[in-house]
C-alpha cells in the first residue's frame, strides 16, 4: 500500500477517524493503531508479519532483562545478544545472496569451485528500518535514555507504527515511547504541519521524482554508453533531485500523517544540497540515519575521543557500514567508502587550513564578506558535485555501468536526447527550493492552521487534484523501499 | 517546520519530555480539531469524486473480477461519463494538456516563445509610447 494511492487514502481516513474516536481509551487506541500498522505491513506481504513480531519480541525481552539486571557485564551481554540477533536477521535476508555470490566469485578466481547453498531470499520491505529501531530501543534502555517498556503493545507500536514502518524516518525510542504515555491531542499546529507536509511530499514524489525517473534518469542509467556527456551530466543532477524528492517526499508524508494522528517525528531532511561541506551534507540528508549511525556506531567506536588517526578510522568505518546498510552490492560499498574517505579528507584539510590560516574572528570589511560568500559558494558547488559523483555508484546497477557512465563524460560532441526544457525546468525549480528560507514550511503551516475546515478541504483537495492532474499515470515505488 | 509542534508543546506545558503537555489541552479542543479535519476530508473526497472521476475508474479497473467488483466498475464508469458530460473533467484534462505541451517542448520552441514574449513586450511599450505621443501631440 503506497502512500500516494486511493487504497492508502481510504485506509488513512478510517484509521484517522477511528483512532480519534478511541482517544478517551488510550490503550484501545494504541491497540487499534497497532492492528492498523500490522494490517498495513501485511498488505505488502503477510508472510513477514511473524518476522516483524519476532524481531520486536527479542527487543522487548532484552529491554525487560536490562531493567531487571544491575550487573554491568550481564547488561552488556544482553545488549550484545539483542543487537547480534537483530543484525543476524537483517544480515540473512539482506546479505545472504550477496555474500554467497561474492564468495563464489572469489573461489572461482582462486581456481576453486564449490557448491554453495544458494537460495532465493525475498527481502522483507522495511527490514533495515525496523531492525535499526529495535536496536535503538535496546541501546536507549541500556544507556538509561528511556525506561524499559513493560507493555509489549507499546514496543510493537513503536517499531511497527505504519507511517515510518517501511522507509523511515528511523524514530528513536527515547523520542517516541514517551509520546505513547501522554494523552494524545490534535492541535491547530498538528493540522497545519500535517497538511503542508502531505501536500509537499506528494508533489515531490508524484510530480518531480516520477517525471525525472521516467523521462531522464532511468533511460540515461539504462545504457550510459548510448548517450552523450550532456545527458549524463544532467542525468546525474536529475538523479540527485529524484532521490531527494522521492525519499524526502516519503518522509514528509510520513511525518505529516503522524502529526495528524497526534505524534511528532523528527525532521529527516533539511535542504541538503545547500550544504557547503560533506559534514554539513550529512547533517541535512537522511538525518534520522546519520544521527543513528553517529550515536550507535561512531560514538561507540570511539568517535573523536582517541586521537586523529582513530577519528578518521571511525569516520570511514561509520560511512562504510552506512553504505552496506543501503544495499547488498559493491556499488553501495563503494558509495559508503567514498563518503567516509572524503569526510576524513575534509576533516584533515579543515584542520590544516585552521592551523596555517586561522579564521579571522574580527569583523572584516566588504572584501572579507565577499571572500566568505565566494568561499561558501565554492563549498556548495564542490559538495554538490562530490555527492553527485557518489550518486552515480549508488544508482548504477554495477561497477561496469558506473564506469561506462564516467567514461561517457568525454563525449561532449554527441547531441542530447533527454535534456529537454521540461527536465531542466524541474531540476532548476527543485534546486531553487534548496535555497528558500529555512522557515518557509513553518510559515505555510502557520497560515494553514487557522483556515476554516471548508477552505482547508479546498486547499488539500485542490492540491491533490492538481498533483494528480500534473503527475504521470501510475505510481512508482519509493526508492528507499528496497533498503 | 516541526519545531512548530515542539513550540506548541512547550507553550502548553514546558519541556515536552518533562511535563505532559497534552494533559493540559482541553479534550474539547482536540475534539473540535478532529471534527475540523474530518469536515475538510469530506470536502477533499467530494472534490476528487467530482473533478478526478477518471482516477476512480483507473483504480477500480485494477480490481479482481467478481460480481461486486463488476458492479463497482460499471457504477464508477457511469459516474465518470456523467462528470465528463457535465464538463467537470475538463479542468484536469486542460491541465494535463498544458503539462504535455511543456513536456514536448524543444529548445528552439522555448527560444521562439521567449522571442514572442519579448516582441509582445516591445509592441506593448511601442503602443504605450505612441499613445503618450498622441496625447502630447
Amino acid at each position: 500500500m503506497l502512500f500516494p494511492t486511493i487504497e492508502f487514502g481510504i485506509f488513512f481516513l478510517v484509521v484517522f477517524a477511528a483512532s480519534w474516536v478511541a482517544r478517551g481509551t488510550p490503550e484501545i487506541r494504541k491497540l487499534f493503531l497497532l492492528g492498523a500498522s500490522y494490517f498495513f505491513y501485511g498488505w505488502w506481504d503477510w508472510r513477514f508479519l511473524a518476522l516483524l513480531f519476532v524481531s520486536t519480541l527479542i527487543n522487548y525481552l532484552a529491554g525487560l532483562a536490562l531493567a531487571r539486571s544491575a550487573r554491568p557485564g550481564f547488561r552488556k551481554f544482553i545488549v550484545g545478544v539483542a543487537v547480534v540477533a537483530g543484525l543476524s536477521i537483517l544480515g540473512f535476508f539482506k546479505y545472504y545472496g550477496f555474500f554467497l555470490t561474492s564468495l563464489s566469485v572469489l573461489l572461482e578466481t582462486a581456481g576453486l569451485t564449490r557448491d554453495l547453498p544458494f537460495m532465493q531470499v525475498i527481502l522483507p520491505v522495511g527490514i533495515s528500518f525496523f531492525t535499526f529501531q529495535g536496536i535503538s530501543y535496546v541501546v536507549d534502555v541500556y544507556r538509561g535514555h528511556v525506561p524499559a517498556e513493560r507493555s509489549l503493545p507499546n514496543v510493537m507500536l513503536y517499531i511497527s507504527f505504519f507511517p515510518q514502518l517501511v522507509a523511515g524516518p528511523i524514530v528513536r525510542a527515547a523520542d517516541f515511547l514517551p509520546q505513547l504515555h501522554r494523552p494524545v491531542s490534535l492541535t491547530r499546529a498538528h493540522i497545519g504541519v500535517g497538511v503542508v507536509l502531505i501536500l509537499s511530499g506528494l508533489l515531490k514524489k508524484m510530480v518531480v521524482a516520477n517525471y525525472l525517473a521516467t523521462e531522464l534518469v532511468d533511460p540515461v542509467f539504462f545504457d550510459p554508453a548510448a548517450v552523450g556527456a550532456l545527458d549524463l551530466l544532467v542525468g546525474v543532477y536529475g538523479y540527485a533531485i529524484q532521490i531527494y524528492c522521492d525519499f524526502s517526499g516519503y518522509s514528509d508524508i510520513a511525518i505529516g500523517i503522524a502529526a495528524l494522528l497526534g505524534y511528532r517525528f523528527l525532521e529527516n531532511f533539511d535542504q541538503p544540497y545547500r550544504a557547503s561541506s560533506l559534514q554539513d551534507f550529512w547533517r541535512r540528508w537522511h538525518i534520522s540515519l546519520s544521527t543513528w549511525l553517529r550515536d550507535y556506531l561512531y560514538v561507540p567506536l570511539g568517535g573523536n575521543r582517541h586521537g586523529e588517526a582513530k577519528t578518521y578510522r571511525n569516520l570511514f568505518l561509520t560511512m562504510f557500514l552506512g553504505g552496506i546498510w543501503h544495499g547488498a552490492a559493491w556499488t553501495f560499498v563503494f558509495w559508503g567508502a567514498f563518503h567516509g574517505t572524503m569526510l576524513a579528507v575534509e576533516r584533515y584539510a579543515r584542520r590544516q587550513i585552521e592551523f596555517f590560516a586561522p579564521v579571522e574572528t574580527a569583523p572584516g570589511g566588504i572584501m572579507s564578506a565577499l571572500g566568505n560568500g565566494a568561499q561558501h559558494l565554492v563549498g556548495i558547488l564542490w559538495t554538490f558535485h562530490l555527492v553527485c559523483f557518489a550518486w552515480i555508484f549508488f544508482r548504477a546497477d554495477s561497477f561496469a555501468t558506473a564506469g561506462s557512465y564516467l567514461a561517457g563524460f568525454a563525449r561532449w560532441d554527441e547531441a542530447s536526447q533527454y535534456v529537454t526544457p521540461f527536465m531542466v525546468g524541474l531540476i532548476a525549480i527543485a534546486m531553487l527550493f534548496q535555497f528558500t528560507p529555512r522557515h518557509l514550511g513553518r510559515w505555510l503551516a502557520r497560515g494553514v492552521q487557522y483556515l476554516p475546515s471548508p477552505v482547508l478541504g479546498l486547499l488539500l483537495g485542490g492540491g491533490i487534484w492538481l498533483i494528480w492532474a500534473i503527475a504521470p499515470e501510475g505510481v512508482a515505488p519509493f526508492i528507499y523501499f528496497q533498503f | 517546520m516541526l519545531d512548530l509542534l515542539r513550540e506548541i508543546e512547550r507553550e502548553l506545558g514546558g519541556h515536552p519530555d518533562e511535563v505532559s503537555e497534552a494533559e493540559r489541552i482541553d479534550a474539547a479542543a482536540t475534539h473540535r480539531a478532529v471534527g475540523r479535519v474530518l469536515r475538510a476530508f469530506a470536502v477533499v473526497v467530494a472534490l476528487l469524486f467530482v473533478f478526478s472521476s477518471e482516477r476512480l475508474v483507473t483504480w477500480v479497473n485494477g480490481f479482481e473480477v467478481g460480481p461486486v467488483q463488476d458492479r463497482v466498475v460499471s457504477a464508477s464508469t457511469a459516474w465518470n461519463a456523467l462528470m465528463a458530460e457535465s464538463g467537470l473533467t475538463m479542468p484536469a484534462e486542460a491541465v494535463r494538456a498544458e503539462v504535455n505541451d511543456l513536456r514536448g517542448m524543444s529548445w528552439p520552441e522555448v527560444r521562439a516563445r521567449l522571442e514572442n514574449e519579448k516582441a509582445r513586450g516591445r509592441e506593448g511599450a511601442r503602443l504605450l509610447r505612441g499613445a503618450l505621443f498622441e496625447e502630447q501631440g
Side-chain angles (χ1 to χ4, degrees), chain A residues 67-225:
Chain A
R68 283 185 190 160
S69 168
R71 281 166 41 214
F74 186 62
R75 286 169 62 82
K76 256 188 192 166
F77 172 73
I78 292 166
V79 173
V81 168
V83 170
V84 167
L87 291 179
S88 302
I89 294 172
L90 178 68
F92 172 73
F93 282 100
K94 201 160 177 175
Y95 306 107
Y96 182 82
F98 170 65
F99 279 119
L100 239 51
T101 311
S102 301
L103 185 66
S104 166
V105 170
L106 194 72
L107 289 174
E108 269 177 35
T109 315
L112 304 163
T113 314
R114 294 277 183 281
D115 280 337
L116 295 172
F118 280 101
M119 59 178 154
Q120 193 71 36
V121 180
I122 304 167
L123 182 68
V125 68
I127 188 169
S128 311
F129 291 93
F130 68 69
T131 303
F132 271 29
Q133 290 206 176
I135 293 174
S136 157
Y137 169 69
V138 176
V139 176
D140 281 0
V141 171
Y142 172 74
R143 289 176 177 169
H145 295 167
V146 67
E149 187 60 61
R150 308 272 158 198
S151 151
L152 175 62
N154 276 5
V155 179
M156 287 172 74
L157 181 57
Y158 156 63
I159 290 179
S160 69
F161 189 35
F162 71 89
Q164 44 78 14
L165 175 58
V166 291
I170 302 166
V171 178
R172 298 292 186 87
D175 192 53
F176 188 74
L177 282 172
Q179 296 187 51
L180 294 181
H181 291 286
R182 294 197 291 260
V184 72
S185 57
L186 189 70
T187 63
R188 284 181 178 277
H190 284 103
I191 298 173
V193 168
V195 168
V196 169
L197 284 177
I198 288 171
L199 281 179
S200 77
L202 287 175
L203 183 70
K204 281 180 191 173
K205 166 62 186 166
M206 292 181 71
V207 178
V208 184
N210 284 1
Y211 271 125
L212 284 173
T214 52
E215 296 188 10
L216 175 66
V217 178
D218 289 353
V220 165
F221 272 88
F222 178 71
D223 187 7

Side-chain angles (χ1 to χ4, degrees), chain B:
Chain B
M1 189 192 321
L2 296 169
D3 48 354
L4 189 59
L5 293 183
R6 222 168 290 137
E7 218 167 82
I8 296 286
E9 286 172 351
R10 232 173 277 135
E11 273 170 25
L12 290 163
H15 192 274
D17 296 334
E18 289 163 3
V19 182
S20 174
E21 84 297 334
E23 283 169 7
R24 299 185 183 207
I25 297 177
D26 188 4
T30 292
H31 188 74
R32 276 198 301 277
V34 172
R36 194 170 149 239
V37 176
L38 283 175
R39 283 192 296 278
F41 281 166
V43 175
V44 172
V45 172
L47 262 177
L48 298 179
F49 249 103
V50 172
F51 292 101
S52 289
S53 51
E54 76 286 351
R55 286 266 176 179
L56 191 68
V57 177
T58 314
W59 179 57
V60 298
N61 277 332
F63 288 0
E64 285 169 15
V65 180
V68 180
Q69 288 93 326
D70 289 350
R71 234 173 262 171
V72 172
V73 169
S74 67
S76 52
T77 310
W79 173 257
N80 182 42
L82 186 69
M83 293 300 106
E85 265 173 39
S86 322
L88 293 169
T89 53
M90 272 171 61
E93 282 160 18
V95 170
R96 216 161 287 142
E98 190 63 36
V99 171
N100 284 340
D101 278 354
L102 284 173
R103 282 170 60 205
M105 202 177 273
S106 64
W107 288 107
E109 281 170 327
V110 171
R111 231 166 282 137
R113 206 180 250 207
L114 286 174
E115 286 300 322
N116 265 352
E117 288 300 321
K118 267 189 208 164
R120 274 169 56 183
R122 277 198 299 270
E123 182 63 9
R126 196 186 63 78
L127 286 172
L128 184 65
R129 273 199 298 274
L132 283 173
F133 289 144
E134 274 169 25
E135 267 180 31
Q136 282 169 0

Side-chain angles (χ1 to χ4, degrees), chain A residues 89-382:
Chain A
I89 294 172
L90 178 68
F92 172 73
F93 282 100
K94 201 160 177 175
Y95 306 107
Y96 182 82
F98 170 65
F99 279 119
L100 239 51
T101 311
S102 301
L103 185 66
S104 166
V105 170
L106 194 72
L107 289 174
E108 269 177 35
T109 315
L112 304 163
T113 314
R114 294 277 183 281
D115 280 337
L116 295 172
F118 280 101
M119 59 178 154
Q120 193 71 36
V121 180
I122 304 167
L123 182 68
V125 68
I127 188 169
S128 311
F129 291 93
F130 68 69
T131 303
F132 271 29
Q133 290 206 176
I135 293 174
S136 157
Y137 169 69
V138 176
V139 176
D140 281 0
V141 171
Y142 172 74
R143 289 176 177 169
H145 295 167
V146 67
E149 187 60 61
R150 308 272 158 198
S151 151
L152 175 62
N154 276 5
V155 179
M156 287 172 74
L157 181 57
Y158 156 63
I159 290 179
S160 69
F161 189 35
F162 71 89
Q164 44 78 14
L165 175 58
V166 291
I170 302 166
V171 178
R172 298 292 186 87
D175 192 53
F176 188 74
L177 282 172
Q179 296 187 51
L180 294 181
H181 291 286
R182 294 197 291 260
V184 72
S185 57
L186 189 70
T187 63
R188 284 181 178 277
H190 284 103
I191 298 173
V193 168
V195 168
V196 169
L197 284 177
I198 288 171
L199 281 179
S200 77
L202 287 175
L203 183 70
K204 281 180 191 173
K205 166 62 186 166
M206 292 181 71
V207 178
V208 184
N210 284 1
Y211 271 125
L212 284 173
T214 52
E215 296 188 10
L216 175 66
V217 178
D218 289 353
V220 165
F221 272 88
F222 178 71
D223 187 7
V227 294
L230 185 62
D231 280 334
L232 295 170
L233 184 67
V234 180
V236 71
Y237 289 165
Y239 183 63
I241 296 298
Q242 184 210 338
I243 192 168
Y244 166 72
C245 286
D246 194 287
F247 192 22
S248 80
Y250 184 91
S251 294
D252 284 355
I253 300 170
I255 297 168
I257 285 168
L260 289 181
L261 292 172
Y263 299 106
R264 178 173 48 79
F265 287 174
L266 297 178
E267 219 160 358
N268 211 19
F269 289 88
D270 179 17
Q271 298 177 309
Y273 294 134
R274 75 186 295 171
S276 56
S277 65
L278 265 191
Q279 190 187 26
D280 188 19
F281 174 79
W282 280 105
R283 284 187 187 135
R284 296 165 176 274
W285 178 272
H286 201 175
I287 300 166
S288 64
L289 175 68
S290 48
T291 51
W292 194 100
L293 291 173
R294 182 195 65 200
D295 294 346
Y296 301 109
L297 189 59
Y298 178 69
V299 171
L301 281 171
N304 58 3
R305 299 188 303 274
H306 303 295
E308 276 302 288
K310 283 197 173 162
T311 304
Y312 297 137
R313 182 204 67 181
N314 296 341
L315 270 176
F316 177 81
L317 276 178
T318 304
M319 294 312 296
F320 176 76
L321 292 171
I324 294 176
W325 175 86
H326 277 87
W330 288 107
T331 46
F332 289 121
V333 174
F334 177 84
W335 177 81
F338 176 78
H339 271 281
T341 308
M342 291 316 292
L343 276 169
V345 168
E346 188 180 280
R347 184 184 165 91
Y348 177 78
R350 195 182 307 122
R351 291 179 76 86
Q352 294 306 309
I353 290 167
E354 277 167 14
F355 180 76
F356 289 111
V359 178
E360 280 285 338
T361 47
I366 192 162
M367 290 312 288
S368 164
L370 279 175
N372 285 342
Q375 197 181 340
H376 187 67
L377 186 68
V378 170
I380 291 173
L381 288 171
W382 168 248

